[in-house]
């Protein structure tokens, strides 16, 4: 087992990880670990844009953007964080432009901007052009541009290296830490896919930037690799996860496949229609119609299907109609997503409406952080040297429902902040001692899976998990559906103990890593469902049919889920609450 | 070279405990949504180039027969094999819809992304051959060592080079200037083009189409000031002049980039110094 030593170790090389690396690598000795080649990261799949109140094409300001973010998140957003994000959005976009990002341009050569769901002028009057974009491959261009800058700065990448354990100075699972002791991060343990060898990365600072966990669901826009690794690593060490019951279902996934079709399709004029040809969003959001926030549109779509107005032989999807748009306009603004429709469904969007249905898309919750990206281990205490940014984190700028484009913004603003903060922390910090046998837990885990004579197959357990989550914890939820899903997760966790893999080799054993990733998914799915059961209200992306109203008196608070030792010797999820930071905007009814 | 033929179907296989393994359709199809009820599933045979260096020093062919549906991609069939028949089958994949560039493979003799190749378009009546992309060292099964590919990419200085102070607002660029290099910004670095190039197969030192595409993306960007340096690099004997205009790269590109045209534009810029 090889040991490396760095000031800052960044886990994950998507947008947040690389944005952090650009800051930290100029200030401190930095390594970036990624289970993929950096350019494979799922930031590259983001399409529509990145909002910033540049005001290039019409009047706009960051305060409106802050308000939209807070309202879009159904008032569960921490308003100080949203304000930071909306203010720093402008520099974040300009930073990317200066790095070379090929934004679409206005006739006079400025960055062009277009409409996006939930982004409005003057607190909801009408849709505003706020999203800066590069055709419908904005995420691809952000990922490429950040990687290009990392090449320029000669950032040290360890590619196809899986972080499998987070090393802390204290065991948080055991209970309270003495008040005079500071809990710090000491590094990570990682598995090199090519050789199967373990590596210990000692570090003064660690930044988690591993992205989301969409693979807890079956129908999802997320990559196969989005298994919530960073969230699970933190959670298993006793660090809480915040607001995990809030998962975003993107309205327009290709029906049956879940592949994302950007909201930009509606920003450019696309219309959702039911089997009667009706523009049904006029009933649900009379002012901004198809550009309502994603949770509202996804629910409206699911409701149309449920009430028998779905399309197709099984009446189980609705239609995204672009046929009234000029083909040249579609080609210029939406080339990729229209190609997806042609390739995967054989539908020609110039002349035929595209079958769509909500797809699991984004975790609003995650590892709780401060606005400097510091990871919280309680409502107020941080883990020294540990940072998180991007989808793995919960700042919380997305609250109960993220607005479109705010994820690309989040990774840039808070990736940068975390990179700077981690490097500055490392400059003043000592390298913490490693725990005894730092690789022991990972070795035991891998040996158990490799050497086990179990009979359970990874793919079978994963499919059952994903089907249970789609069935019980999707757009609509009830106590009954959630209880059923939780019971399934419980039995799957038991079966997971006797999981076996066929590939017993050391080199490039993806069979083994899929088994490890399934363990992460099971833990995270449980947190999602336990949180969803406890939250007896409907807010943003979390809709309880048995509690259809928002209940600010009981639930205007963040959920904090802790893994703790149970009396029976096992572990259990314990829930706590954290207050929402409210600065400018008192909660109001959410209408569009 | 040994040849091992082991046709199997997922539904016929028994799990070690004796319980029948489920029909493979759930792994092969996302869900029933959006499908016509009369959609017939079909059997498809994959003829896969295997290489498991920890077991066998030589590569061999192995066949698997799996059940598939009409919207399935080759990646779905590979997953069915891996998840239900042989967990040791190894390949890279991530996004599964043609944007991350992980799963470039040689499919029926042609470079494509496994997640963009629909089985019904690959003539599933005959075995579909699947091999690793050529010209890069094979690590295991369909996985190749990408490092030489990325090394060539890094050599062309694939980043914006500018002089003077950074402006406080954006650098202006007209829509026409922006359009000039639009095509080459689509590259996802999957290596389908480079590993389809006969010149690259014979001479691994050749920069290859992908590196030139990424140089083009900056040479023709009106904001960039590093064009002359990049042209100097590509004027090398392993640079653009090695291109024999075979057009394999253009055919292979899953993003529809006119790769050969981009290489020609770089050649022309080298002569005229106008870009």
């Amino acid at each position: 087992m090889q040991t490396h030593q760095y000031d800052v170790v960044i886990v994950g090389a998507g947008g947040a990880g690389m944005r952090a690396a650009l800051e930290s690598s100029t200030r401190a000795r930095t390594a970036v670990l990624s289970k993929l080649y950096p350019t494979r990261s799922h930031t590259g799949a983001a399409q529509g844009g990145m909002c910033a109140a540049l005001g290039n094409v019409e009047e706009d300001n960051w305060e409106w953007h802050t308000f939209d973010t807070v309202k879009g998140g159904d008032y569960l957003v921490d308003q100080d964080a949203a304000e930071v994000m909306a203010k720093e959005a402008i520099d974040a976009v300009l930073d990317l432009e200066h790095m070379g990002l090929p934004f679409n341009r206005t006739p006079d050569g400025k960055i062009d901007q277009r409409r996006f769901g939930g982004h409005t002028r003057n607190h909801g009057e009408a849709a505003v052009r706020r999203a800066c974009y590069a055709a419908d491959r904005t995420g691809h261009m952000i990922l490429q541009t950040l990687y290009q800058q990392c090449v320029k700065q000669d950032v040290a990448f360890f590619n196809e290296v899986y972080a499998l354990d987070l090393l802390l100075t204290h065991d948080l699972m055991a209970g309270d830490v003495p008040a005079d002791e500071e809990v710090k991060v000491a590094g990570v343990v990682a598995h090199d896919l090519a050789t199967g060898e373990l590596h210990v990365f000692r570090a003064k600072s660690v930044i988690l930037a591993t992205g989301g966990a969409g693979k807890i669901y079956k129908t999802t826009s997320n990559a196969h690799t989005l298994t919530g690794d960073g969230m699970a690593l933190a959670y298993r060490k006793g660090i809480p996860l915040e607001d995990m019951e809030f998962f975003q279902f993107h309205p327009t996934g290709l029906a049956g496949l879940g592949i994302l079709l950007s909201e930009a399709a509606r920003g450019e004029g696309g219309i959702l229609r039911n089997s009667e040809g009706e523009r049904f969003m006029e009933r649900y959001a009379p002012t901004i119609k198809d550009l309502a926030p994603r949770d509202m549109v996804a629910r409206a779509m699911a409701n149309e299907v449920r009430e028998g107005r779905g399309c197709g032989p099984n009446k189980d999807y609705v239609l995204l109609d672009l046929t009234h748009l000029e083909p040249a306009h579609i080609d210029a603004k939406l080339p990729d997503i229209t190609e997806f429709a042609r390739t995967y469904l054989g539908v020609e969007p110039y002349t035929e409406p595209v079958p769509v249905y909500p797809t699991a898309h984004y975790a609003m919750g995650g590892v709780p952080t401060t606005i400097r990206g510091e990871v919280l281990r309680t409502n107020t205490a941080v883990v020294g040297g540990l940072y998180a940014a991007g989808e793995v984190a919960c700042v919380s700028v997305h609250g109960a429902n993220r607005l479109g484009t705010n994820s690309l913004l989040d990774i840039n603003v808070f990736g940068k902040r975390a990179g700077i903060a981690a490097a500055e922390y490392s400059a003043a910090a000592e390298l913490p001692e490693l725990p005894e046998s730092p690789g022991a837990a990972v070795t035991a885990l891998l040996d158990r899976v490799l050497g086990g004579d179990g009979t359970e197959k990874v793919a079978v357990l994963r499919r059952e998990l994903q089907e249970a989550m789609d069935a019980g914890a999707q757009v609509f939820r009830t106590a009954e559906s959630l209880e059923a899903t939780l019971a399934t997760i419980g039995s799957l966790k038991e079966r997971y103990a006797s999981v076996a893999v066929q590939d017993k080799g050391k080199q490039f054993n993806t069979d083994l890593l899929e088994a490890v990733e399934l363990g992460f998914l099971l833990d995270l799915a449980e947190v999602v469902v336990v949180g969803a059961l406890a939250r007896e209200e409907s807010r943003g992306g979390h809709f309880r049919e048995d509690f259809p109203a928002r209940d600010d008196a009981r639930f205007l608070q963040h959920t904090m889920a802790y893994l703790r030792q149970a009396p029976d010797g096992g572990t259990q999820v314990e829930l706590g609450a954290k207050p929402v930071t409210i600065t400018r905007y008192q909660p109001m009814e959410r209408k569009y | 070279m040994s040849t091992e033929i082991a046709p199997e179907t997922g539904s016929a296989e028994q799990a070690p405990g004796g319980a029948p393994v489920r029909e493979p359709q759930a792994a092969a199809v996302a869900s029933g949504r959006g499908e016509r009820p009369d959609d017939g599933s079909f059997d498809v045979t994959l003829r896969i180039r295997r290489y498991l260096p920890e077991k066998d020093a030589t590569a061999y062919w192995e066949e698997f027969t799996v059940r598939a549906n009409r919207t399935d991609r080759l990646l779905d069939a590979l997953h069915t094999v891996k998840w239900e028949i042989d967990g040791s089958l190894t390949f890279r994949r991530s996004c599964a819809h043609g944007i991350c560039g992980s799963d470039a493979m040689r499919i029926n003799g042609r470079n494509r992304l496994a997640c963009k190749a629909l089985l019904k378009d690959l003539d599933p009546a005959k075995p579909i051959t699947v091999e690793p992309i050529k010209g890069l060292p094979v690590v295991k099964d369909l996985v190749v060592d990408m490092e030489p590919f990325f090394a060539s990419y890094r050599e062309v200085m694939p980043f914006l080079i500018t002089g003077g102070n950074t402006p406080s607002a954006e650098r202006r660029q007209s829509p026409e200037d922006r359009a000039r290099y639009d095509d080459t910004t689509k590259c996802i670095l999957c290596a389908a083009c480079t590993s389809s190039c006969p010149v690259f197969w014979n001479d691994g030192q050749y920069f290859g189409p992908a590196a030139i595409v990424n140089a083009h993306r900056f040479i023709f960007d009106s904001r960039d000031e590093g064009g002359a340096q990049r042209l100097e690099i590509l004027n090398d004997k392993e640079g653009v002049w090695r291109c024999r205009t075979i057009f394999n790269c253009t055919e292979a590109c899953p993003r529809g980039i006119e790769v050969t045209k981009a290489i020609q534009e770089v050649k022309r810029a080298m002569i005229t110094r106008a870009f």
Side-chain angles (χ1 to χ4, degrees), chain A residues 20 35 86 90 177 208 307 353 422 424 530 554 563 583 590:
Chain A
K35 71 176 182 179
I90 294 157
V177 176
L208 298 174
E307 292 183 355
E424 286 177 350
V530 168
R554 288 178 68 204
L563 185 69
T583 56
R590 190 157 156 264

Side-chain angles (χ1 to χ4, degrees), chain A residues 4 21 36 53-54 95-96 118 124 172 178 214 219 259 270 274 319 323-324 330 332 350 366 372 469 487 537 575:
Chain A
H4 311 257
L36 304 168
L54 301 180
D95 281 354
L96 288 169
L172 299 178
T219 304
I259 294 171
N274 59 20
L319 296 170
T323 57
H324 53 292
I330 291 176
Y350 294 159
R372 283 165 49 83
M469 289 297 287
E537 65 156 354
L575 296 184

Side-chain angles (χ1 to χ4, degrees), chain B:
Chain B
M1 190 188 305
S2 67
T3 300
E4 187 179 309
I5 309 289
E8 285 181 300
T9 63
S11 56
E13 228 218 351
Q14 297 286 311
V21 172
R22 285 189 174 199
E23 288 288 327
Q25 75 271 12
V29 187
S31 87
R33 289 187 196 286
E35 295 197 3
R36 296 171 182 85
D38 59 350
D39 260 0
S41 57
F42 53 87
D43 280 335
V44 61
T45 299
L46 308 183
R47 188 162 188 267
I48 302 175
R49 188 73 176 160
R50 303 294 309 268
Y51 174 58
L52 298 167
E54 292 174 274
K55 281 188 172 170
D56 194 338
T58 53
Y60 57 95
W61 292 99
E62 187 168 13
E63 290 191 5
F64 300 91
T65 299
V66 295
R67 200 84 189 146
N69 277 288
R70 64 187 298 283
T71 57
D72 282 2
R73 302 150 257 180
L74 176 65
L75 180 62
D76 296 307
L78 290 170
H79 270 146
T80 305
V81 173
K82 182 174 184 67
W83 292 344
E84 304 189 8
I85 304 173
D86 184 349
S88 73
L89 179 68
T90 303
F91 49 90
R92 291 189 179 101
R93 88 287 187 258
S94 188
C95 78
H97 65 281
I99 195 69
C100 78
S102 296
D103 62 351
M105 302 174 186
R106 196 167 160 83
I107 300 163
N108 283 346
R110 206 189 126 192
N111 279 6
R112 316 179 56 153
L113 299 179
C115 63
K116 279 192 93 171
L118 266 70
L119 292 171
K120 68 179 173 63
D121 299 336
L122 291 171
D123 188 9
K126 288 191 281 191
I128 296 168
T129 63
V130 186
E131 304 163 78
I133 50 176
K134 286 175 73 171
L136 293 162
V138 180
V139 173
K140 181 177 178 180
D141 287 346
L142 302 171
V143 174
V144 299
D145 179 4
M146 294 293 286
E147 209 36 57
F149 172 82
F150 278 101
S152 291
Y153 165 80
R154 288 192 294 265
E155 273 186 60
V156 300
M157 302 201 293
F159 39 80
L160 192 76
I161 296 172
T162 56
N165 293 327
T166 304
S168 52
E170 67 260 58
R171 291 190 178 83
R172 298 287 180 106
Q173 183 168 57
S174 70
E176 295 71 32
D177 283 343
R178 167 66 181 75
R180 185 71 191 81
Y181 63 102
D182 185 67
D183 201 34
T184 45
T185 66
K186 296 174 185 165
C187 177
I188 54 175
L189 297 168
C190 68
C193 60
T194 295
S195 64
S196 74
C197 174
V199 178
F200 179 76
W201 297 341
N202 293 322
D203 174 7
Q205 299 302 305
Y206 172 43
F207 279 91
I212 301 170
V213 159
N214 281 280
H216 177 285
R217 178 253 170 272
F218 289 101
I219 291 167
F220 292 92
D221 185 333
S222 59
R223 299 168 297 175
D224 185 79
E225 295 169 24
Q229 286 167 271
R230 287 190 200 90
L231 289 175
E232 202 51 51
I233 293 166
L234 291 173
N235 201 19
D236 185 89
K237 72 178 169 59
E238 302 293 353
V240 286
W241 305 113
R242 301 281 282 153
C243 167
R244 311 289 286 272
T245 342
I246 300 162
F247 281 93
N248 277 13
C249 50
T250 300
E251 277 181 38
C253 180
R255 301 283 292 149
I257 300 170
E258 294 182 88
V259 181
T260 315
K261 182 179 168 203
I263 297 173
Q264 292 303 98
E265 287 179 349
V266 172
K267 286 181 183 172
R268 203 173 304 125
M270 220 167 264
I271 295 165
T272 62
R273 295 282 153 170
F275 49 86

